Amino acid sequence: MTLTVNALQAQQGRIGIVLDKDPLELLPAGSAELVRITFTVSPANPASTQIGFGNLPVRREVVNGLAQPLTTTFTDSVVLLAGLTAAPASGCPAS
């Protein structure tokens, strides 16, 4: 699998992530962590933030081996941000 990150709009709070693989290489059924994103949180930021899925800087979609779109639900979520002395926060609400 190839991971491509588009960070050209990171200053606007947007990054693009593309996972690409050989169409004959199957992914196993079930849940799996494919990408982990780590953020550095400013001390002036709020205790939580909204994480969402959009179409910039890359289009959100899931396709099959023939590049045909698959029915997919992208779920936005609120992420609690850890304080400066706490352990790092992580989460990925995508389904």
Side-chain angles (χ1 to χ4, degrees):
M1 195 174 301
T2 302
L3 171 69
T4 303
V5 178
N6 181 329
L8 294 175
Q9 297 181 8
Q11 291 297 322
Q12 292 81 25
R14 294 186 291 267
I15 60 170
I17 298 173
V18 177
L19 290 171
D20 192 21
K21 64 173 203 56
D22 182 313
L24 300 177
E25 183 184 335
L26 300 177
L27 290 175
S31 297
E33 180 178 295
L34 299 176
V35 176
R36 181 177 292 209
I37 302 170
T38 303
F39 299 92
T40 301
V41 179
S42 168
N45 280 351
S48 66
T49 190
Q50 179 79 22
I51 299 290
F53 298 89
N55 291 313
L56 290 172
V58 297
R59 192 167 94 187
R60 64 178 173 176
E61 69 177 346
V62 176
V63 298
N64 65 16
L66 301 174
Q68 299 165 327
L70 298 174
T71 301
T72 307
T73 301
F74 294 88
T75 305
D76 296 346
S77 183
V78 172
V79 175
L80 301 178
L81 304 174
L84 293 176
T85 58
S90 66
C92 184
S95 59

